[in-house]
Amino acid sequence: MDNALLEILACPACKGKLHYKREAQELFCSACRLAYPVKDDIPVMLIEEARQLPADEEV
C-alpha cells in the first residue's frame, strides 16, 4: 500500500485514520473497529464490505 494513498484515505463510517495490515490485506479503523479489504492493491472502501473486528482482535 502506497503511503501517500494511505495518508489521504479515511474511514467511510467515522472519517478516522486508517491503518494497513499487510498480512491480512486490510485497512482498519481502530475507532469504529471496521476492517476494509484490499483487493488487487485497491482498497474497497464500502461500509457494506467491511468486516467488524471482534473485541479480542488486537488493532
Side-chain angles (χ1 to χ4, degrees):
M1 174 71 48
D2 181 38
N3 282 337
L5 178 61
L6 190 55
E7 286 295 317
I8 62 172
L9 289 176
C11 175
C14 72
K15 310 299 185 240
K17 183 174 173 79
L18 292 171
H19 307 277
Y20 181 55
K21 280 189 180 179
R22 182 181 307 248
E23 64 280 350
Q25 289 293 296
E26 291 180 324
L27 292 169
F28 70 93
C29 174
S30 56
C32 58
R33 301 194 58 83
L34 291 175
Y36 299 92
V38 177
K39 298 180 181 177
D40 298 322
D41 291 330
I42 300 170
V44 180
M45 304 302 295
L46 300 171
I47 296 173
E48 303 83 41
E49 295 289 322
R51 175 176 72 89
Q52 184 70 47
L53 297 172
D56 63 341
E57 187 171 339
E58 187 177 322
V59 291

